[in-house]
Amino acid sequence: MKKTIKIAGIVLAVLVVIAILLYVIGFGFVKKSCIYVMEYNVAEDGSKMEIKFINASSIGFIRKADPHRNGSEVDVDFYRAFGGINGNIGVMEDYVVTVDLDSSIDKICFCRGNKYEVVLYKTDDGNWVKPDSSYFSSDLI
């Protein structure tokens, strides 16, 4: 009987440790979707864009911005910091993401849950702008 209680206690302790680790580490792999562009700068040669962004949520910090090309657009995923729901382990020092550009890229999109939303697009004259409501009613998307 004592041996069974001892084994049950060890199993319970291991389960608690696993649960704590999942909580502390697990949130670091969850995407954040309430990220917005504050300002942006395109390099003089047009090869890169630096985007300063803001986390609109009062809960959680950003540890990573992951831009990846998707045809003629660059999609950016943002990931929570480690340490739980409001963890700050591994937080980015400055909320800036650098995106590599070439002449075929015409949109920058941020992850919004299960889809990507255009946050910047290139106009016909080659300038980058934030979309307004008329952009979303057009057939550009």
Side-chain angles (χ1 to χ4, degrees):
M1 184 67 145
K2 275 187 170 183
K3 192 172 189 176
T4 305
I5 292 173
K6 188 174 184 179
I7 291 173
I10 292 171
V11 169
L12 183 61
V14 168
L15 290 175
V16 167
V17 168
I18 289 171
I20 290 170
L21 286 174
L22 284 174
Y23 177 76
V24 170
I25 296 171
F27 273 96
F29 297 103
V30 175
K31 290 181 184 179
K32 287 279 283 186
S33 61
C34 53
I35 309 298
Y36 297 91
V37 174
M38 291 216 20
E39 56 189 58
Y40 57 96
N41 294 306
V42 179
E44 215 171 282
D45 64 0
S47 65
K48 292 187 183 298
M49 177 188 296
E50 280 191 349
I51 303 170
K52 184 171 185 170
F53 58 90
I54 185 169
N55 177 8
S57 171
S58 62
I59 298 174
F61 297 94
I62 306 301
R63 74 169 173 88
K64 180 181 178 184
D66 181 26
H68 52 280
R69 186 162 181 159
N70 182 11
S72 65
E73 65 186 44
V74 174
D75 296 335
V76 185
D77 295 319
F78 297 91
Y79 293 91
R80 293 177 177 263
F82 295 112
I85 197 163
N86 207 26
N88 60 3
I89 300 169
V91 167
M92 294 177 76
E93 282 186 33
D94 54 356
Y95 280 2
V96 175
V97 60
T98 301
V99 175
D100 293 325
L101 300 174
D102 64 38
S103 60
S104 66
I105 295 176
D106 60 4
K107 293 181 222 161
I108 308 292
C109 304
F110 284 2
C111 181
R112 299 285 186 247
N114 60 354
K115 63 183 176 122
Y116 289 91
E117 180 181 292
V118 177
V119 294
L120 294 165
Y121 71 96
K122 189 166 38 172
T123 60
D124 292 337
D125 60 0
N127 293 319
W128 286 90
V129 296
K130 292 181 181 180
D132 60 8
S133 58
S134 65
Y135 177 86
F136 292 109
S137 63
S138 73
D139 60 0
L140 292 174
I141 297 178

